[in-house]
Amino acid sequence: MKPALVVVGNGMAGMRTVEELLKLAPDMYDITVFGAEPHGNYNRILLSPVLAGEKTVDDIMLNTREWYQQNRITLHAGDPVEFIDRKRRLVRARSGLEVRYDRLLLATGSRPFIIPVPGHELPGVLAFRDIQDVESMLDAARNHRHAVVIGGGLLGLEAANGLQRQGMHVTVVHVTDSLMNQQLDKPAAQLLQKALEAKGLVFRMEAQTSEIVGIGRATAVRFADGSEIPADLVVMTAGVRPNIELARRAGLHCERAIVVDDTLQSFDPRIYAVGECVQHRRATFGLVAPIWEQARVCAAHLAGNGHRRYVQQVTPTRLKVTGVDLYSVGDFIGGEGSEDLVLRDPRRGVYKRLVLDGGRITGAVLYGDVQDGPWYFDLIQNRTDISSMRNHLLFGQALCAQAA
């Protein structure tokens, strides 16, 4: 008999690991996959275009049910695992189904953080995490007028854009004075806010939500200063938390997330973990690039090719927020001893900021014109001395090459 591999989580991280494993050792395991959602594996990143009406659910499917059958993978969709018995090496799903394993892969992802203010459990208060959330938002847009999105990060802005495209009046509420403060410096964030305001979005910055008001359904959002705005729909996009309750109950070593080593192996050598539910050398993960690398490394070890190690690397963030191109990488804030090179061209809607330290680039923020982002990233990665091209650096690779 083949050894049994059980995958807990039918999302992008877990299934990418399975895809990589099938490339290396297609017949090595009997594979069983459990997923909480009643679907095949889909591209969660593309939920925003579904909300905006640009794509359908079928368009964003990565692995249909037929794919699982073709690869002889048993899929239990809509039946999440609720218990792991490490001594007997089996998992138990919500339905009561028990499946034994020789290797277990945890890819439980993360859960949206719902701000625990009064009224947060009212109908009309949603997260933006899965297909069901999108369908609920589309239903609300057909029957209601006012939406409030709490959280001015990338996910919040995408939700706001989609709801506006569905005809709703949308207000974005953000607790700081700067949108996307994890990816952008203040000048770039201000340019973004102005561009989105020109498209009709409304912003409440430095606003502390104190209560969701309503009887039977959300009708307004109240703030700490006592003011309130109408809200038939409230979408919480205030961050996520690694989903580690199952691992904790099983006695695996967890801190902020499931602690794994360089092979993506947990405290229990039979159990691996990948994606947003893991913590590697104190870091947790939310971007696709590092998670894809985790999948490659984990698959190699599951296949018995134990030569790969997961190494964290600086990952650039390239985004397109409602038609505006953004790129950021490295330490784009700077500190003592660093210096900034800044280009502002309001008419073209272009902003560039490079942070230099000791003749090298340590960080970059680009708004509007991002074509040189990968070049700046290479300069950062290679610790290239840019002293000779400093005067032309902001104008991009082509001009620096001509001036050399």
Side-chain angles (χ1 to χ4, degrees), residues 355-366:
V355 179
L356 310 183
D357 193 347
R360 293 177 173 83
I361 302 180
T362 59
V365 176
L366 310 178

Side-chain angles (χ1 to χ4, degrees), residues 226-374:
S227 64
E228 62 179 61
I229 55 176
D232 310 302
L233 172 67
V234 179
V235 182
M236 298 266 193
T237 58
V240 295
R241 302 289 185 272
N243 183 8
I244 59 174
E245 289 80 4
L246 179 67
R248 272 221 169 100
R249 289 198 302 269
L252 293 178
H253 178 45
C254 298
E255 293 175 4
R256 286 185 299 151
I258 304 167
V259 176
V260 295
D261 63 14
D262 294 348
T263 70
L264 284 308
Q265 198 175 67
S266 74
F267 170 78
D268 182 330
R270 290 183 179 271
I271 302 178
Y272 292 77
V274 293
E276 293 182 326
C277 65
V278 309
Q279 177 179 324
H280 174 263
R281 298 180 184 264
R282 300 188 179 181
T284 54
F285 307 89
L287 296 174
V288 166
I291 292 174
W292 273 191
E293 179 60 20
Q294 290 175 13
R296 283 189 286 270
V297 172
C298 185
H301 286 271
L302 287 169
N305 303 336
H307 60 282
R308 300 192 72 160
R309 294 290 184 271
Y310 177 64
V311 178
Q312 292 179 35
Q313 296 182 336
V314 175
T315 304
T317 303
R318 182 167 187 164
L319 310 167
K320 195 177 188 75
V321 182
T322 63
V324 179
D325 286 309
L326 307 168
Y327 188 101
S328 66
V329 64
D331 176 15
F332 55 80
I333 300 301
E336 188 175 347
S338 68
E339 58 177 329
D340 298 345
L341 298 182
V342 178
L343 180 150
R344 285 187 178 90
D345 188 342
R347 181 172 293 181
R348 289 175 56 222
V350 172
Y351 168 83
K352 299 181 181 182
R353 181 182 181 207
L354 305 178
V355 179
L356 310 183
D357 193 347
R360 293 177 173 83
I361 302 180
T362 59
V365 176
L366 310 178
Y367 175 99
D369 177 5
V370 301
Q371 64 178 354
D372 286 303

